[in-house]
Amino acid sequence: MATTQAAAVAQNAPTKNPTLLAWVAKMAAMTQPDRIVWCDGSEAEKKRMTEEAVKDGTLIPLNQEKRPGCYLHRSNPNDVARVEHLTFICTPNKTDAGPTNNWMEPDEAYTKLGQLFEGCMKGRTMYVVPYAMGPLGSPFTKIGVELTDSNYVVLNMRIMTRMGKAVLDLLGDSDDFNRGLHSTGDVNPDRRYICHFPQDNTIWSFGSGYGGNVLLGKKCLALRIGSYLGREEGWLAEHMLILGVTSPQGETTYVAAAFPSACGKTNFAMLIPPKEYKGWKIETVGDDIAWMRPGPDGRLYAINPEAGYFGVVPGTNYKTNPNAMETIAKDTLFTNVALTPDGDVWWEGKDGEVPEELTDWQGRPWKKGSAEKAAHPNSRFTAPMTNNPVLSGKSNDPMGVPISAIIFGGRRSNTVPLVLQAFNWTHGVFLGATMGSETTAAATGKVGVVRRDPMAMLPFCGYHMGDYLQHWLDMQKSIPQLPKIFQVNWFRQDKNGKFLWPGYGDNMRVLEWIVNRVHGRVPTQETLLGWVPRQDQGLNLQGLDVAPESISEATSIKEDEWKTELKSQEVFFEQLGTKAPEALMLQRKLLMSRLGG
Ligand code: TSX
Ligand code: MN
């Protein structure tokens, strides 16, 4: 039985890779699909699968005049976001996963999920999706194969990754590929698990059809497994955007930046400079993930392993992010947004009037003024990066881009000033390790509570957070030309809750200071916390219609607030126990002594 199945798999496969064929046969023997389809990534395949998805109700065609090539998908209402409490790191020892991850023993996880996967694809098709994270032929690039029974997953993976036949050719007979297995199952939250097996380069995901849980190349491979591989192999897999800043003189400086959710990462990655910045240009290399390793010239080089954007839709408009609006004008899959009577999509925070009537994200009639949201707050677009009007020409460069600055951000209504530069790499890692952001969505508990989210990696680090921070510290030994590290906060408020900094395009002013610091072109002011812009030769505020008092408030450092902050940081470090890196504890003590005990 098993041998005939294996023979059948081999007969239809566009590869002779023995490891791949044996694994597909083994997974097929367990899940028992009616048929196996090897995806080739072609246009014809896209057309055929899109038509099938429309026929089976997975996709709703949108108005093809208004949104050419665009479709709407509605997920199960119980399945609209990543599920951290159902996400597991499966290593032999619990300590390897650390206190910030859920852990399951690998054999137990394989057995438990194996029971769920047993026969789960009966009556269904198993799609074999070969994909690459990173440009084909890049030394950074990793190959994965995802087996899935979801046509929605295939169509999304086609946008988010380099997918298809070319990847199989690149893989050849190698056994070095991530083994991803996914089934939507019956979308029952009680039978939903996302398990990572770093030692086996394997991911098993069951019972969900939602983005981050099922597009296995993204959070699962590029971050959780990626961070594990990065530590083993001496590189960094980070939750960072990558952008290039080009001056009127034609000098391009590349920056990587980590922000927790709800800080406008995609907006920053596609920023349009204000009119005073004639001749300046921001270009996007990536909006979510950066893989970084030392290059031949001693600088730190980064690639974006993805090929598309899986972005939050609500709040996106021609004021907050014109480039994103252009990006999603065509060939985009929308998930859980509202539908207009004329077949266009709508969401809270879109430009223009609120329509009188809509079909909401669950397919129910919706009327203007309704207390419920028409689009789900976590509704998404999946769009190819090639749609982005400001896509960097280097986004497909196998060598990546040299990173001159690393930025750590957060949403803080107080305490953290607009911008500061770390004294050195170790201090910069301390700034990243102590990142925090205030909660915004009422659905996830109290609003305005600071959540610690080191390097914005808390839900995405595939091993012990203490070891991860130590790996960051250790990396300075292998990067002769270290990027400079900065901390930013666009979200400082006055006592009435009004934002002090205009943000958005005006963040260019902060970026220019960062670029000038990187190239040693501007003097700076030393403070307790780090180096900040000087009053005289600091931030360029030309043309900015903001009261000088607001700027000084946004950039102010209040010692009493910092004493409170240090106490709050201690709670996080205590969680890491003996794995809290000594160098970071010393940074903490130094700051405490600068504050006067
Ligand atoms: O994305 C944001 N950025 C980065 C842009 C490059 N947002 C949106 C965050 C939610 C996803 C911001 N919100 C930013 C910001 O820099 N700043 C703010 C706060 C803010 C909001 C509104 C105004 C000013 C600041 N002003 C008016 O509404 C007029
Ligand atoms: Mn992200």
Side-chain angles (χ1 to χ4, degrees):
M1 169 69 188
T3 40
T4 47
Q5 182 133 32
V9 166
Q11 203 164 38
N12 298 319
T15 176
K16 291 191 165 30
N17 183 313
T19 318
L20 177 56
L21 289 171
W23 171 68
V24 173
K26 191 173 167 192
M27 296 303 106
M30 174 168 67
T31 56
Q32 299 164 41
D34 279 14
R35 65 199 80 78
I36 298 175
V37 171
W38 291 73
C39 295
D40 61 15
S42 66
E43 279 299 320
E45 175 181 270
K46 176 191 177 186
K47 188 165 177 288
R48 191 192 76 233
M49 288 198 62
T50 303
E51 283 165 8
E52 287 169 8
V54 169
K55 205 177 280 174
D56 73 15
T58 303
L59 294 182
I60 299 166
L62 294 170
N63 183 323
Q64 293 300 302
E65 251 126 64
K66 291 195 158 185
R67 300 250 172 209
C70 294
Y71 296 83
L72 169 63
H73 171 74
R74 296 192 185 118
S75 75
N76 189 309
N78 78 30
D79 187 32
V80 294
R82 287 184 295 102
V83 281
E84 282 168 29
H85 65 293
L86 304 173
T87 300
F88 292 83
I89 302 299
C90 305
T91 46
N93 297 308
K94 189 175 194 311
T95 46
D96 291 337
T100 59
N101 281 310
N102 299 308
W103 174 81
M104 218 188 294
E105 199 277 319
D107 286 337
E108 184 195 334
Y110 281 128
T111 304
K112 189 172 191 146
L113 272 73
Q115 284 162 7
L116 299 171
F117 276 115
E118 189 71 42
C120 73
M121 294 191 192
K122 273 182 197 158
R124 301 187 189 185
T125 302
M126 173 192 271
Y127 299 98
V128 184
V129 185
Y131 66 94
M133 299 312 288
L136 299 186
S138 164
F140 292 76
T141 294
K142 301 283 179 193
I143 289 176
V145 180
E146 176 166 354
L147 309 179
T148 177
D149 56 10
S150 161
N151 50 6
Y152 170 79
V153 167
V154 177
L155 290 166
N156 274 270
M157 286 295 280
R158 198 179 186 285
I159 297 172
M160 295 305 296
T161 72
R162 284 95 173 159
M163 185 270 258
K165 176 80 168 64
V167 177
L168 282 185
D169 295 343
L170 185 68
L171 180 65
D173 277 351
S174 169
D175 64 358
D176 186 13
F177 62 94
N178 181 270
R179 292 141 176 78
L181 176 63
H182 165 251
S183 173
T184 314
D186 53 0
V187 208
N188 180 341
D190 297 331
R191 288 195 290 274
R192 183 173 297 160
Y193 294 96
I194 295 91
C195 287
H196 305 70
F197 305 86
Q199 276 94 345
D200 303 340
N201 199 3
T202 291
I203 304 158
W204 281 15
S205 167
F206 189 88
S208 171
Y210 171 81
N213 298 330
V214 302
L215 309 178
L216 300 185
K218 193 177 180 66
K219 303 303 190 183
C220 300
L221 173 52
L223 288 178
R224 296 198 190 96
I225 301 280
S227 60
Y228 173 91
L229 294 174
R231 180 169 179 239
E232 298 241 302
E233 300 169 2
W235 52 280
L236 296 165
E238 299 303 324
H239 193 200
M240 290 179 178
L241 63 91
I242 309 165
L243 60 79
V245 188
T246 304
S247 72
Q249 290 73 39
E251 171 196 71
T252 302
T253 307
Y254 293 97
V255 170
F259 291 86
S261 59
C263 290
K265 212 167 137 192
T266 303
N267 298 344
F268 190 50
M270 300 180 178
L271 178 149
I272 297 178
K275 59 180 186 311
E276 291 79 20
Y277 278 78
K278 202 166 175 289
W280 288 81
K281 205 157 85 184
I282 302 287
E283 289 173 310
T284 318
V285 178
D287 81 324
D288 195 37
I289 300 174
W291 282 359
M292 307 193 284
R293 59 174 67 202
D297 64 357
R299 292 193 285 177
L300 184 67
Y301 279 76
I303 64 154
N304 167 17
E306 302 190 279
Y309 309 126
F310 186 67
V312 173
V313 179
T316 305
N317 60 55
Y318 277 99
K319 282 186 290 297
T320 58
N321 195 338
N323 288 316
M325 292 300 283
E326 294 296 323
T327 302
I328 64 180
K330 61 172 189 186
D331 299 328
T332 296
L333 301 176
F334 291 90
T335 302
N336 294 341
V337 296
L339 184 64
T340 68
D342 65 347
D344 198 359
V345 277
W346 192 84
W347 55 84
E348 277 71 19
K350 195 187 181 198
D351 305 83
E353 294 283 297
V354 177
E356 293 297 328
E357 294 192 339
L358 292 165
T359 306
D360 79 0
W361 66 276
Q362 295 187 63
R364 305 174 306 190
W366 183 95
K367 280 197 164 55
K368 183 175 177 172
S370 162
E372 292 197 42
K373 292 200 185 320
H376 190 277
N378 195 33
S379 54
R380 297 283 170 151
F381 58 78
T382 317
M385 67 175 180
T386 50
N387 278 5
N388 179 0
V390 295
L391 181 68
S392 165
K394 300 270 185 184
S395 58
N396 210 22
D397 190 322
M399 298 318 293
V401 295
I403 298 297
S404 299
I406 292 173
I407 300 174
F408 294 119
R411 174 185 279 265
R412 297 295 300 268
S413 57
N414 51 51
T415 314
V416 179
L418 179 62
V419 59
L420 60 82
Q421 181 182 354
F423 292 124
N424 52 50
W425 182 266
T426 305
H427 181 229
V429 174
F430 176 74
L431 295 180
T434 54
M435 265 171 71
S437 211
E438 286 169 24
T439 50
T440 53
T444 54
K446 276 183 251 153
V447 173
V449 178
V450 177
R451 290 247 173 90
R452 293 293 148 195
D453 188 358
M455 274 104 169
M457 282 289 279
L458 196 64
F460 306 118
C461 185
Y463 60 102
H464 197 296
M465 186 53 76
D467 292 331
Y468 166 79
L469 295 173
Q470 187 61 51
H471 177 51
W472 260 88
L473 292 164
D474 293 342
M475 280 301 289
Q476 68 190 301
K477 288 180 267 186
S478 56
I479 313 166
Q481 291 200 62
L482 287 165
K484 306 288 185 266
I485 300 182
F486 299 82
Q487 179 176 43
V488 301
N489 176 23
W490 317 135
F491 299 94
R492 196 102 175 241
Q493 295 175 6
D494 69 11
K495 47 189 177 311
N496 303 318
K498 189 179 173 291
F499 289 110
L500 292 160
W501 176 250
Y504 297 99
D506 285 312
N507 294 335
M508 180 67 221
R509 301 169 190 279
V510 173
L511 260 181
E512 186 196 13
W513 184 75
I514 288 173
V515 167
N516 281 334
R517 285 299 302 157
V518 158
H519 298 296
R521 288 197 287 251
V522 59
T524 180
Q525 170 77 48
E526 183 175 326
T527 70
L528 298 172
L529 301 180
W531 288 318
V532 303
R534 270 168 56 151
Q535 289 287 337
D536 50 350
Q537 304 168 61
L539 293 172
N540 171 15
L541 301 175
Q542 200 200 352
L544 191 62
D545 187 22
V546 175
E549 307 84 69
S550 294
I551 305 296
S552 47
E553 182 71 5
T555 54
S556 66
I557 295 167
K558 298 180 179 166
E559 297 197 9
D560 56 330
E561 286 182 348
W562 275 93
K563 286 181 179 164
T564 310
E565 175 71 7
L566 273 173
K567 286 210 189 73
S568 147
Q569 292 177 1
E570 188 179 15
V571 178
F572 168 73
F573 281 124
E574 274 174 354
Q575 210 190 346
L576 302 183
T578 56
K579 293 250 192 192
E582 184 62 20
L584 298 185
M585 304 319 284
L586 290 170
Q587 284 296 322
R588 195 181 128 71
K589 281 191 185 147
L590 281 171
L591 177 52
M592 233 181 309
S593 74
R594 292 199 293 271
L595 282 162

mmCIF file of all heavy atoms in Angstrom, residues 173-197:
data_model
loop_
_atom_site.group_PDB
_atom_site.id
_atom_site.type_symbol
_atom_site.label_atom_id
_atom_site.label_comp_id
_atom_site.label_asym_id
_atom_site.label_seq_id
_atom_site.Cartn_x
_atom_site.Cartn_y
_atom_site.Cartn_z
ATOM 1 N N ASP A 173 18.619 17.667 -5.848
ATOM 2 C CA ASP A 173 18.475 16.472 -5.023
ATOM 3 C C ASP A 173 18.776 16.733 -3.548
ATOM 4 O O ASP A 173 18.900 15.799 -2.757
ATOM 5 C CB ASP A 173 19.399 15.363 -5.546
ATOM 6 C CG ASP A 173 18.747 14.624 -6.713
ATOM 7 O OD1 ASP A 173 17.549 14.869 -6.968
ATOM 8 O OD2 ASP A 173 19.442 13.820 -7.364
ATOM 9 N N SER A 174 18.916 18.014 -3.197
ATOM 10 C CA SER A 174 19.276 18.345 -1.819
ATOM 11 C C SER A 174 18.147 17.998 -0.836
ATOM 12 O O SER A 174 16.963 18.071 -1.187
ATOM 13 C CB SER A 174 19.588 19.838 -1.731
ATOM 14 O OG SER A 174 19.684 20.232 -0.384
ATOM 15 N N ASP A 175 18.534 17.632 0.384
ATOM 16 C CA ASP A 175 17.515 17.400 1.419
ATOM 17 C C ASP A 175 17.373 18.628 2.326
ATOM 18 O O ASP A 175 16.728 18.561 3.370
ATOM 19 C CB ASP A 175 17.850 16.151 2.243
ATOM 20 C CG ASP A 175 19.148 16.308 3.017
ATOM 21 O OD1 ASP A 175 19.810 17.365 2.887
ATOM 22 O OD2 ASP A 175 19.507 15.365 3.756
ATOM 23 N N ASP A 176 17.990 19.743 1.912
ATOM 24 C CA ASP A 176 17.964 20.951 2.731
ATOM 25 C C ASP A 176 16.754 21.815 2.381
ATOM 26 O O ASP A 176 16.856 22.802 1.658
ATOM 27 C CB ASP A 176 19.272 21.732 2.538
ATOM 28 C CG ASP A 176 19.363 22.925 3.480
ATOM 29 O OD1 ASP A 176 18.550 23.004 4.432
ATOM 30 O OD2 ASP A 176 20.232 23.790 3.265
ATOM 31 N N PHE A 177 15.593 21.402 2.864
ATOM 32 C CA PHE A 177 14.387 22.201 2.650
ATOM 33 C C PHE A 177 13.485 22.067 3.870
ATOM 34 O O PHE A 177 13.507 21.054 4.570
ATOM 35 C CB PHE A 177 13.642 21.765 1.375
ATOM 36 C CG PHE A 177 13.148 20.336 1.391
ATOM 37 C CD1 PHE A 177 11.858 20.030 1.809
ATOM 38 C CD2 PHE A 177 13.988 19.293 0.991
ATOM 39 C CE1 PHE A 177 11.409 18.708 1.832
ATOM 40 C CE2 PHE A 177 13.540 17.972 1.005
ATOM 41 C CZ PHE A 177 12.251 17.678 1.429
ATOM 42 N N ASN A 178 12.716 23.116 4.133
ATOM 43 C CA ASN A 178 11.769 23.079 5.241
ATOM 44 C C ASN A 178 10.558 22.237 4.853
ATOM 45 O O ASN A 178 9.994 22.401 3.778
ATOM 46 C CB ASN A 178 11.327 24.496 5.621
ATOM 47 C CG ASN A 178 10.347 24.490 6.785
ATOM 48 O OD1 ASN A 178 9.136 24.422 6.588
ATOM 49 N ND2 ASN A 178 10.860 24.541 7.989
ATOM 50 N N ARG A 179 10.183 21.342 5.754
ATOM 51 C CA ARG A 179 9.045 20.466 5.504
ATOM 52 C C ARG A 179 7.815 21.031 6.211
ATOM 53 O O ARG A 179 7.695 20.967 7.433
ATOM 54 C CB ARG A 179 9.349 19.061 6.013
ATOM 55 C CG ARG A 179 10.451 18.351 5.213
ATOM 56 C CD ARG A 179 11.356 17.549 6.150
ATOM 57 N NE ARG A 179 12.387 16.754 5.478
ATOM 58 C CZ ARG A 179 13.529 17.245 4.975
ATOM 59 N NH1 ARG A 179 13.801 18.542 5.020
ATOM 60 N NH2 ARG A 179 14.409 16.440 4.416
ATOM 61 N N GLY A 180 6.906 21.610 5.416
ATOM 62 C CA GLY A 180 5.706 22.228 5.980
ATOM 63 C C GLY A 180 4.470 21.405 5.647
ATOM 64 O O GLY A 180 4.266 21.037 4.490
ATOM 65 N N LEU A 181 3.684 21.114 6.645
ATOM 66 C CA LEU A 181 2.439 20.379 6.421
ATOM 67 C C LEU A 181 1.292 21.198 6.989
ATOM 68 O O LEU A 181 1.349 21.612 8.158
ATOM 69 C CB LEU A 181 2.508 19.006 7.110
ATOM 70 C CG LEU A 181 1.221 18.152 7.040
ATOM 71 C CD1 LEU A 181 0.883 17.787 5.594
ATOM 72 C CD2 LEU A 181 1.384 16.890 7.895
ATOM 73 N N HIS A 182 0.297 21.450 6.152
ATOM 74 C CA HIS A 182 -0.850 22.230 6.614
ATOM 75 C C HIS A 182 -2.165 21.599 6.156
ATOM 76 O O HIS A 182 -2.301 21.201 4.999
ATOM 77 C CB HIS A 182 -0.798 23.669 6.067
ATOM 78 C CG HIS A 182 -2.107 24.379 6.210
ATOM 79 N ND1 HIS A 182 -2.934 24.684 5.139
ATOM 80 C CD2 HIS A 182 -2.786 24.795 7.326
ATOM 81 C CE1 HIS A 182 -4.028 25.271 5.574
ATOM 82 N NE2 HIS A 182 -3.972 25.355 6.886
ATOM 83 N N SER A 183 -3.112 21.527 7.071
ATOM 84 C CA SER A 183 -4.487 21.221 6.691
ATOM 85 C C SER A 183 -5.427 22.167 7.421
ATOM 86 O O SER A 183 -5.244 22.442 8.612
ATOM 87 C CB SER A 183 -4.864 19.779 7.042
ATOM 88 O OG SER A 183 -6.263 19.599 6.794
ATOM 89 N N THR A 184 -6.413 22.662 6.679
ATOM 90 C CA THR A 184 -7.432 23.511 7.288
ATOM 91 C C THR A 184 -8.278 22.694 8.269
ATOM 92 O O THR A 184 -8.895 23.260 9.166
ATOM 93 C CB THR A 184 -8.326 24.110 6.180
ATOM 94 O OG1 THR A 184 -7.478 24.595 5.141
ATOM 95 C CG2 THR A 184 -9.159 25.255 6.683
ATOM 96 N N GLY A 185 -8.272 21.363 8.079
ATOM 97 C CA GLY A 185 -9.068 20.508 8.963
ATOM 98 C C GLY A 185 -10.523 20.924 8.937
ATOM 99 O O GLY A 185 -11.068 21.241 7.876
ATOM 100 N N ASP A 186 -11.149 20.990 10.111
ATOM 101 C CA ASP A 186 -12.532 21.469 10.170
ATOM 102 C C ASP A 186 -12.615 22.851 10.840
ATOM 103 O O ASP A 186 -13.679 23.253 11.307
ATOM 104 C CB ASP A 186 -13.428 20.447 10.881
ATOM 105 C CG ASP A 186 -12.876 20.057 12.243
ATOM 106 O OD1 ASP A 186 -11.805 20.594 12.621
ATOM 107 O OD2 ASP A 186 -13.498 19.228 12.940
ATOM 108 N N VAL A 187 -11.486 23.555 10.861
ATOM 109 C CA VAL A 187 -11.415 24.914 11.422
ATOM 110 C C VAL A 187 -12.072 24.986 12.803
ATOM 111 O O VAL A 187 -12.854 25.881 13.096
ATOM 112 C CB VAL A 187 -12.025 25.980 10.476
ATOM 113 C CG1 VAL A 187 -11.378 27.341 10.701
ATOM 114 C CG2 VAL A 187 -11.869 25.594 9.027
ATOM 115 N N ASN A 188 -11.716 24.018 13.616
ATOM 116 C CA ASN A 188 -12.226 23.979 14.984
ATOM 117 C C ASN A 188 -11.118 24.479 15.913
ATOM 118 O O ASN A 188 -10.052 23.873 15.976
ATOM 119 C CB ASN A 188 -12.610 22.527 15.325
ATOM 120 C CG ASN A 188 -13.158 22.402 16.727
ATOM 121 O OD1 ASN A 188 -12.948 23.271 17.579
ATOM 122 N ND2 ASN A 188 -13.865 21.311 16.970
ATOM 123 N N PRO A 189 -11.369 25.599 16.631
ATOM 124 C CA PRO A 189 -10.310 26.158 17.484
ATOM 125 C C PRO A 189 -9.820 25.180 18.558
ATOM 126 O O PRO A 189 -8.718 25.347 19.074
ATOM 127 C CB PRO A 189 -10.958 27.392 18.127
ATOM 128 C CG PRO A 189 -12.303 27.536 17.535
ATOM 129 C CD PRO A 189 -12.621 26.364 16.676
ATOM 130 N N ASP A 190 -10.622 24.168 18.872
ATOM 131 C CA ASP A 190 -10.182 23.172 19.855
ATOM 132 C C ASP A 190 -9.229 22.143 19.241
ATOM 133 O O ASP A 190 -8.644 21.346 19.952
ATOM 134 C CB ASP A 190 -11.385 22.438 20.460
ATOM 135 C CG ASP A 190 -12.284 23.396 21.223
ATOM 136 O OD1 ASP A 190 -11.753 24.410 21.743
ATOM 137 O OD2 ASP A 190 -13.504 23.154 21.279
ATOM 138 N N ARG A 191 -9.191 22.133 17.923
ATOM 139 C CA ARG A 191 -8.253 21.225 17.231
ATOM 140 C C ARG A 191 -7.352 22.035 16.310
ATOM 141 O O ARG A 191 -7.229 21.754 15.127
ATOM 142 C CB ARG A 191 -9.026 20.169 16.422
ATOM 143 C CG ARG A 191 -9.703 19.118 17.274
ATOM 144 C CD ARG A 191 -10.128 17.920 16.435
ATOM 145 N NE ARG A 191 -11.222 18.244 15.538
ATOM 146 C CZ ARG A 191 -12.508 18.186 15.903
ATOM 147 N NH1 ARG A 191 -12.854 17.820 17.117
ATOM 148 N NH2 ARG A 191 -13.451 18.492 15.034
ATOM 149 N N ARG A 192 -6.763 23.086 16.862
ATOM 150 C CA ARG A 192 -5.914 23.986 16.079
ATOM 151 C C ARG A 192 -4.531 24.040 16.735
ATOM 152 O O ARG A 192 -4.432 24.329 17.925
ATOM 153 C CB ARG A 192 -6.551 25.376 16.034
ATOM 154 C CG ARG A 192 -5.803 26.407 15.188
ATOM 155 C CD ARG A 192 -6.594 27.700 15.075
ATOM 156 N NE ARG A 192 -7.869 27.499 14.387
ATOM 157 C CZ ARG A 192 -8.909 28.320 14.479
ATOM 158 N NH1 ARG A 192 -8.839 29.409 15.222
ATOM 159 N NH2 ARG A 192 -10.030 28.051 13.838
ATOM 160 N N TYR A 193 -3.518 23.719 15.967
ATOM 161 C CA TYR A 193 -2.146 23.743 16.493
ATOM 162 C C TYR A 193 -1.193 24.220 15.407
ATOM 163 O O TYR A 193 -1.318 23.814 14.245
ATOM 164 C CB TYR A 193 -1.698 22.346 16.941
ATOM 165 C CG TYR A 193 -2.463 21.808 18.119
ATOM 166 C CD1 TYR A 193 -3.549 20.965 17.924
ATOM 167 C CD2 TYR A 193 -2.111 22.160 19.420
ATOM 168 C CE1 TYR A 193 -4.275 20.474 18.999
ATOM 169 C CE2 TYR A 193 -2.821 21.673 20.504
ATOM 170 C CZ TYR A 193 -3.909 20.830 20.287
ATOM 171 O OH TYR A 193 -4.612 20.357 21.356
ATOM 172 N N ILE A 194 -0.242 25.065 15.804
ATOM 173 C CA ILE A 194 0.834 25.452 14.897
ATOM 174 C C ILE A 194 2.129 25.066 15.598
ATOM 175 O O ILE A 194 2.543 25.697 16.566
ATOM 176 C CB ILE A 194 0.798 26.961 14.562
ATOM 177 C CG1 ILE A 194 -0.482 27.285 13.773
ATOM 178 C CG2 ILE A 194 1.979 27.349 13.693
ATOM 179 C CD1 ILE A 194 -1.659 27.690 14.587
ATOM 180 N N CYS A 195 2.734 23.952 15.130
ATOM 181 C CA CYS A 195 3.902 23.378 15.806
ATOM 182 C C CYS A 195 5.154 23.520 14.946
ATOM 183 O O CYS A 195 5.137 23.226 13.750
ATOM 184 C CB CYS A 195 3.654 21.903 16.123
ATOM 185 S SG CYS A 195 2.485 21.683 17.482
ATOM 186 N N HIS A 196 6.228 23.950 15.595
ATOM 187 C CA HIS A 196 7.525 24.128 14.932
ATOM 188 C C HIS A 196 8.517 23.138 15.514
ATOM 189 O O HIS A 196 8.637 23.034 16.734
ATOM 190 C CB HIS A 196 8.038 25.550 15.165
ATOM 191 C CG HIS A 196 7.070 26.617 14.749
ATOM 192 N ND1 HIS A 196 5.904 26.862 15.434
ATOM 193 C CD2 HIS A 196 7.083 27.478 13.717
ATOM 194 C CE1 HIS A 196 5.245 27.841 14.833
ATOM 195 N NE2 HIS A 196 5.936 28.236 13.783
ATOM 196 N N PHE A 197 9.220 22.447 14.631
ATOM 197 C CA PHE A 197 10.240 21.482 15.045
ATOM 198 C C PHE A 197 11.589 21.957 14.484
ATOM 199 O O PHE A 197 12.002 21.517 13.400
ATOM 200 C CB PHE A 197 9.900 20.084 14.507
ATOM 201 C CG PHE A 197 8.514 19.603 14.891
ATOM 202 C CD1 PHE A 197 7.400 19.940 14.127
ATOM 203 C CD2 PHE A 197 8.325 18.815 16.034
ATOM 204 C CE1 PHE A 197 6.126 19.497 14.482
ATOM 205 C CE2 PHE A 197 7.047 18.378 16.396
ATOM 206 C CZ PHE A 197 5.944 18.719 15.617
#
